[in-house]
Each structure stands twice: as structure tokens, then as C-alpha cells.
């Protein structure tokens, strides 16, 4: 959140009490959602626009559900990036959205920093739903909520983030959040997919999957983001799976009560074995999706508080 608390653009810079407050509120939305009730008076008369310049299934749908469960009018705008000059289009879009007087703007863009730029130009609260390789703050919050519910805490846990860290905004947001909350973060992957900034961020880097996973409480797998790769950063999918794909053999090095996470979309047989992904005991992948709706309800609730006060 920015100092004004009007936007949610990144996890970097957020303080533990702010994160804790969001997770606590999200917890109450988990219970509300499970009870089948809604709270439609909270955002009644407010407009939420989902502005997605990149593909999405889970994130867009869960923001839509979150907005609707709180009573907002939700509009989905999918924008093709293929034929547009991004700078101009973004500013034009900002002017259009301002004229429509929307209250909450959820933005996904393939350029890092696009939501920050929009936040300077629109009156609405802007929520970053993933920008380039920069951040995906609500994903990190929902991951933290999932871990906290399973493990009872974040502090002191060993979390191994494996795979294409270089292109992953999910990894970046998670590294900031988990480090801030006192977890021990490791990243695992081939040298070509581990960014140099990992050392600066204070995480331990491993290139050997078995060593990186050893003793982990949480193993978080990442998709190979081939659409963001320039040149051949990885060998064949088969070879990649041999070294960095999560199967039960590699997972045996983790703690006995390890949980396995993946933000989706999954490439089964590339970064994760189907049997591990579907393991009813260790895999919490479906729970992550459920937490996504609750976390987004909490974020919409908190960000709209300021403006509700002014009504
Ligand atoms: C991720 C994303 O878009 O950053 N997906 C998601 O939001 N759940 C990860 C990915 O695309 O691999």
C-alpha cells in the first residue's frame, strides 16, 4: 500500500502490522464465504473495474467474486496489448476511467510499473493484480493466509520457492512478505532462472532441488513462464522436470508435514508431478484459490474504507 493507503501496488515497503491486519480481516471473510452469506451493503453503489491487459483465470474471477460478494458493481475489461502503444494507451485509459468515475481499479499488465503509473493518473483506488515481473501483492497475501491457516504462523518457517524465479512476480511479492513476517526464504532453480537480486533480498539460493527442499515446511512451485523468456533459458521440459520438477522422491527431503503450493496455472509434468499436485494431504493448491477470494474481499474492504468515510 502507498503511504496514503489508497492503493495496493506492492508488498515491498508494507509493514508487518499492516500485513497482519489484512490477513486477520481475510480470515473473517473465509468464515463468511463458508457460511454462504454475503455482505452486499459494504460496497453498494461502488464500481469496480477489472482492467486486464494479460490473461488470467483465477485472479480476475476472484476479484469479480470478491467485489460482487461485497455488493459492488463489477465490470470486466479485457484489453489486447497486441496493437497498442502502451504508454499512450495507459494514459488514455486512465482518462476514460476517470470520466466513468470508478471507485476501485484492478489492473494486470505485462509491463512492470504500469499500475503505479495509473495510480498517479486516476482518482480510483488501484490494486495491482500482477505487473510484468514486478509484483503480485494479492497472491502473496493469499499464500500467506493459506500458510498461516495450515501452520498457525509464518515466523520461523522454512519456505522453499522453486523454479522460474526470474520471471515470477509471485516469487518477488512472496519474498518480500515472508521475509517481513520472519520466515526463512529459500529459492531453488537453475542459474539462468534465479535473478541476481536474490542475494540483496536476503534469501538463500540453491541450485540443487534436494538440498533446497531439505527440512522445508512449505514448498512453493512456480510455472516456467516461457512467454517471458528470451532465448533458451531452460533445456527440454523433460530434462527440466528431472532436475526441478516436484515429485514424491524430491519432496521426501522436506519436513514430514510439508505443504505444497502453486499459484496456478500449473504445467503438470513440467514443474510438478500430477500425483503431488493432487495429493489430498500435502497439496493446498485448491485452498489457495479459496483464500484468494477472501483476501481480495479484505483488500477491497480496507481500500474503500477511506472513501466510505468521505461519503
Ligand atoms: C501467476 C501470475 O499471473 O503471475 N498466476 C496467478 O496470478 N495465479 C503465475 C503464473 O502466471 O505463472
Amino acid at each position: 500500500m502507498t503511504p496514503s493507503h489508497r492503493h495496493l501496488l506492492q508488498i515491498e515497503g508494507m509493514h508487518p502490522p499492516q500485513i497482519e491486519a489484512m490477513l486477520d480481516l481475510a480470515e473473517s471473510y473465509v468464515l463468511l464465504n463458508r457460511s454462504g452469506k454475503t455482505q452486499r451493503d459494504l460496497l453498494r453503489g461502488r464500481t469496480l473495474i477489472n482492467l486486464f491487459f494479460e490473461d488470467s483465470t483465477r485472479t480476475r474471477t476472484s476479484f469479480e467474486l470478491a467485489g460482487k460478494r461485497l455488493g459492488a458493481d463489477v465490470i470486466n475489461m479485457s484489453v489486447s496489448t497486441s496493437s497498442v502503444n502502451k504508454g499512450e494507451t495507459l494514459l488514455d485509459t486512465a482518462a476514460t476511467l476517470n470520466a466513468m468515475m470508478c471507485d476501485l481499479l484492478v489492473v494486470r499488465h505485462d509491463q512492470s510499473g504500469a499500475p503505479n503509473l495509473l495510480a498517479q493518473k486516476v482518482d480510483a483506488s488501484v490494486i495491482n493484480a500482477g505487473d510484468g515481473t514486478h509484483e503480485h501483492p494479492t497472491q502473496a497475501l493469499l499464500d500467506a493466509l493459506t500458510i498461516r491457516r495450515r501452520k498457525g504462523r509464518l515466523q520461523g518457517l522454512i519456505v522453499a520457492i522453486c523454479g522460474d524465479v526470474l520471471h515470477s512476480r509471485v516469487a518477488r511479492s512472496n519474498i518480500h512478505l515472508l521475509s517481513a513476517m520472519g520466515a526463512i526464504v529459500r529459492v531453488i532453480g537453475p542459474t539462468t532462472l534465479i535473478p541476481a537480486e536474490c542475494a540483496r533480498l536476503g534469501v538463500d539460493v540453491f541450485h540443487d532441488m534436494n538440498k533446497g527442499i531439505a527440512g522445508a515446511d512449505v514448498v512453493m512451485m512456480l510455472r516456467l513462464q516461457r512467454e517471458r523468456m528470451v532465448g533458451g533459458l531452460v533445456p527440454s521440459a523433460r530434462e527440466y522436470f528431472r532436475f526441478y520438477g516436484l515429485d514424491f522422491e524430491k519432496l521426501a527431503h522436506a519436513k514430514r508435514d510439508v505443504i505444497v503450493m502453486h499459484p496456478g496455472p500449473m504445467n503438470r509434468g513440467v514443474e510438478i508431478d500430477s500425483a503431488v499436485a493432487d495429493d489430498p494431504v500435502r497439496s493446498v493448491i485448491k485452498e489457495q484459490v479459496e483464500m484468494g477470494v477472501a483476501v481480495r474481499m479484505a483488500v477491497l474492504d480496507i481500500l474503500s474504507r477511506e472513501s466510505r468515510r468521505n461519503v
Side-chain angles (χ1 to χ4, degrees):
M1 286 191 291
T2 60
S4 70
H5 293 200
R6 200 159 69 86
H7 309 293
L8 177 61
L9 301 174
Q10 58 188 40
I11 298 290
E12 186 173 12
M14 273 178 83
H15 300 296
Q18 277 179 301
I19 295 169
E20 204 98 50
M22 283 213 172
L23 298 182
D24 290 345
L25 185 62
E27 193 78 52
S28 71
Y29 281 119
V30 174
L31 302 180
L32 185 84
N33 289 340
R34 287 189 177 173
S35 76
K37 292 189 192 121
T38 53
Q39 210 173 307
R40 293 196 199 278
D41 47 334
L42 201 82
L43 297 183
R44 195 185 301 279
R46 307 259 155 187
T47 306
L48 182 158
I49 298 186
N50 265 329
L51 182 64
F52 278 62
F53 292 86
E54 256 191 8
D55 295 344
S56 169
T57 311
R58 274 153 285 266
T59 307
R60 194 189 56 70
T61 315
S62 62
F63 268 112
E64 182 174 354
L65 264 179
K68 285 182 172 164
R69 285 191 187 159
L70 296 178
D73 296 318
V74 181
I75 292 151
N76 292 312
M77 284 172 70
S78 289
V79 192
S80 161
T81 42
S82 54
S83 60
V84 295
N85 172 320
K86 290 180 185 108
E88 259 183 26
T89 301
L90 258 189
L91 297 183
D92 283 350
T93 310
T96 308
L97 294 169
N98 253 351
M100 288 177 180
M101 288 190 264
C102 97
D103 302 287
L104 294 147
L105 184 61
V106 179
V107 187
R108 170 168 286 193
H109 202 286
D110 66 349
Q111 299 290 311
S112 302
N116 301 56
L117 180 66
L118 271 179
Q120 291 163 28
K121 304 286 176 192
V122 296
D123 300 323
S125 288
V126 175
I127 300 164
N128 179 4
D131 62 330
T133 60
H134 174 226
E135 280 227 31
H136 191 350
T138 55
Q139 179 71 43
L141 286 162
L142 78 86
D143 289 339
L145 183 63
T146 309
I147 298 171
R148 206 179 73 162
R149 286 175 61 86
R150 281 290 178 132
K151 301 285 175 194
R153 68 197 159 99
L154 297 171
Q155 168 84 31
L157 293 179
I158 299 177
V159 182
I161 304 178
C162 316
D164 187 357
V165 180
L166 181 67
H167 299 104
S168 179
R169 51 202 181 201
V170 174
R172 228 155 252 111
S173 287
N174 264 297
I175 289 170
H176 288 302
L177 190 152
L178 293 166
S179 308
M181 300 306 283
I184 299 148
V185 184
R186 299 175 182 172
V187 294
I188 311 170
T191 39
T192 47
L193 296 181
I194 301 290
E197 67 180 308
C198 278
R200 178 180 65 79
L201 296 174
V203 300
D204 297 320
V205 177
F206 293 83
H207 301 299
D208 180 312
M209 185 97 165
N210 291 342
K211 286 187 186 145
I213 282 185
D217 297 282
V218 178
V219 175
M220 187 182 290
M221 299 308 298
L222 301 172
R223 182 176 65 90
L224 270 186
Q225 301 199 21
R226 290 190 185 275
E227 75 276 17
R228 294 190 212 280
M229 287 183 198
V230 185
L233 294 179
V234 282
S236 68
R238 234 176 107 216
E239 206 178 332
Y240 181 82
F241 182 79
R242 197 157 78 87
F243 288 105
Y244 295 105
L246 187 66
D247 54 17
F248 283 122
E249 214 179 301
K250 297 191 187 87
L251 193 59
H253 293 85
K255 290 224 176 85
R256 281 171 71 90
D257 62 349
V258 66
I259 56 169
V260 175
M261 309 179 77
H262 194 306
M266 273 187 281
N267 284 324
R268 291 168 183 262
V270 179
E271 72 268 1
I272 191 163
D273 185 53
S274 257
V276 175
D278 298 332
D279 180 349
V281 179
R282 279 161 283 196
S283 169
V284 296
I285 296 169
K286 288 199 197 88
E287 213 168 300
Q288 286 174 269
V289 179
E290 182 191 355
M291 295 308 127
V293 180
V295 152
R296 287 163 183 135
M297 289 169 86
V299 168
L300 297 179
D301 180 345
I302 287 175
L303 292 186
S304 59
R305 267 177 209 183
E306 200 59 40
S307 48
R308 283 207 302 276
R309 242 179 253 128
N310 297 332
V311 172

